[in-house]
Amino acid sequence: PRHEPLRLQVFVEAPRARGAKVTFETRGRDARAVHHDRARLLSLAVERGETPTPFLPPGAFRATYRATVTLPARDRMRFRVDGRGEVQLRIGGTTVLDGALRPNKPLETAQPVRLQKGANELELTFSCAGDGEFRLFWSGPDFGFEPIAPELLSFAADDAELARSRELREGQQLFVERRCARCHEFEERRIGETAFGELDRSGPDLRQIGGRLRSEWIAAWVRDPRALRPEATMPAMPFDEQQAADVAAFLVASGAAAAAPDFGAEAAQIGAQRFRQRGCVACHVEPLAAATAAALGDRIALAFVPQKWQPAALVEYLQEPARHFDHVRMPD
């Protein structure tokens, strides 16, 4: 007899991302604004005058969280939501909580909700007039109310809406990091001091900079910052060599360097020990290491330090990095 070839169908599981997909949208406006994002936990807090995302104007909004909760076995869970606003919680398409949230008056399921082994679809919608908050908790037979761990939440990683929103978010971050708003103002997007206030960030204070940095280094820096530090956020300036030197001369005229400290014979050896003990190697490559070593973990090379800093100013900087730049990432 003739046998037909056996056909096997292979199912490939779509990639998943940890957390929940959240969709923010304005309410009660002619022009509806929508932004998608990823949430690690099912919680949110927005104060008056703020927005849940910089890409929505202040005012009434709705946030819809969608995630799959994956369990190793069937179980029964109770759910509770604390906060201020309106909330609806659906598990597997069934509404288990729906109502208004008031301070010290949470919503709680009257009976445990049965969850199946494997994937359980969860959808939570939170609405408020402009300021509000919520936190979702669950409890099981052997534990009290606690947030759902991010490891149990997932959503489709190849979501097209999230991909477009991620581009918007990354563009906003670059706009902030490059300090574009210092020269390019746009009032309609200055949503509020806390919602989009990072646009007001400035660079380091240049007053008295002559007491901190060397003129030759400043001239090289303003011409091409990334030639000195590949991770620099400052853009290269259209200066020729003489113009860069002129700018450096102008800046260093604003201050005089203090006398260099008298380092003892063993100071460098002790400093090397403290460099390791304080954890500096987590962010920096040791000064004598090859410049290419900075690529290991994207650490910042320090070979440029002698060319950049006046010695006394470097001591002051290590004691208080934020003295001349509030947004510096370097810790005390």
Side-chain angles (χ1 to χ4, degrees):
R2 182 177 180 181
H3 296 281
E4 293 293 330
L6 181 64
R7 299 182 183 274
L8 297 178
Q9 189 172 4
V10 179
F11 295 93
V12 179
E13 186 177 358
R16 308 289 295 177
R18 184 172 296 177
K21 175 185 176 181
V22 53
T23 299
F24 299 104
E25 53 188 326
T26 54
R27 298 172 56 205
R29 294 176 179 271
D30 294 335
R32 177 172 171 263
V34 179
H35 181 70
H36 306 278
D37 210 338
R38 173 191 172 196
R40 181 174 178 271
L41 293 172
L42 296 172
S43 64
L44 180 68
V46 179
E47 299 298 331
R48 187 172 300 278
E50 295 184 354
T51 68
T53 168
F55 307 102
L56 260 67
F61 71 90
R62 178 187 296 110
T64 303
Y65 293 74
R66 296 181 177 90
T68 299
V69 182
T70 304
L71 299 180
R74 290 184 299 177
D75 213 335
R76 291 180 178 273
M77 301 289 189
R78 300 176 72 95
F79 291 87
R80 189 184 79 195
V81 184
D82 298 350
R84 296 176 292 120
E86 303 282 336
V87 69
Q88 182 186 73
L89 175 64
R90 295 170 63 84
I91 305 293
T94 301
T95 300
V96 298
L97 285 176
D98 189 1
L101 299 172
R102 300 289 183 266
N104 301 317
K105 293 184 178 181
L107 292 179
E108 186 175 326
T109 53
Q111 300 294 331
V113 178
R114 182 174 179 176
L115 301 180
Q116 64 184 11
K117 177 182 178 180
N120 296 267
E121 299 304 318
L122 179 151
E123 179 178 299
L124 184 147
T125 301
F126 173 72
S127 305
C128 70
D131 64 314
E133 58 184 311
F134 85 88
R135 293 185 69 188
L136 174 66
F137 301 89
W138 70 352
S139 69
D142 55 352
F143 65 93
F145 281 109
E146 64 183 27
I148 301 177
E151 293 80 7
L152 301 178
L153 300 171
S154 67
F155 62 95
D158 56 352
D159 189 284
E161 293 176 330
L162 274 176
R164 289 191 294 269
S165 293
R166 189 177 300 116
E167 290 181 351
L168 185 63
R169 170 70 72 178
E170 291 177 357
Q172 182 254 356
Q173 283 299 112
L174 288 171
F175 193 91
V176 169
E177 292 173 0
R178 302 298 191 266
R179 308 290 189 269
C180 303
R182 306 307 296 179
C183 297
H184 303 281
E185 178 65 274
F186 50 107
E187 288 292 341
E188 67 272 13
R189 291 305 301 276
R190 192 168 293 283
I191 300 174
E193 190 175 63
T194 54
F196 220 55
E198 60 266 39
L199 293 181
D200 288 324
R201 290 182 183 177
S202 60
D205 190 341
L206 297 182
R207 293 171 295 182
Q208 304 298 315
I209 193 174
R212 308 197 305 271
L213 307 185
R214 300 180 184 275
S215 175
E216 296 80 5
W217 185 89
I218 295 175
W221 175 261
V222 298
R223 288 195 69 190
D224 190 358
R226 293 191 178 184
L228 301 177
R229 280 186 57 176
E231 73 281 358
T233 58
M234 177 173 166
M237 296 296 162
F239 295 145
D240 59 29
E241 187 173 349
Q242 184 58 52
Q243 289 172 329
D246 292 342
V247 170
F250 165 72
L251 292 174
V252 298
S254 64
D262 184 15
F263 296 118
E266 298 180 350
Q269 182 179 353
I270 297 173
Q273 294 174 356
R274 290 183 176 172
F275 184 89
R276 298 181 181 90
Q277 292 170 352
R278 298 288 184 180
C280 305
V281 292
C283 299
H284 295 282
V285 178
E286 296 187 29
L288 299 180
T292 54
L296 300 176
D298 295 327
R299 292 183 291 163
I300 300 173
L302 295 176
F304 62 88
V305 169
Q307 290 76 41
K308 175 181 179 180
W309 285 96
Q310 300 288 358
L314 179 56
V315 173
E316 178 187 274
Y317 175 76
L318 293 175
Q319 293 172 331
E320 188 182 356
R323 179 177 298 185
H324 302 288
F325 184 30
D326 292 338
H327 307 292
V328 69
R329 291 181 293 175
M330 172 87 170
D332 289 352

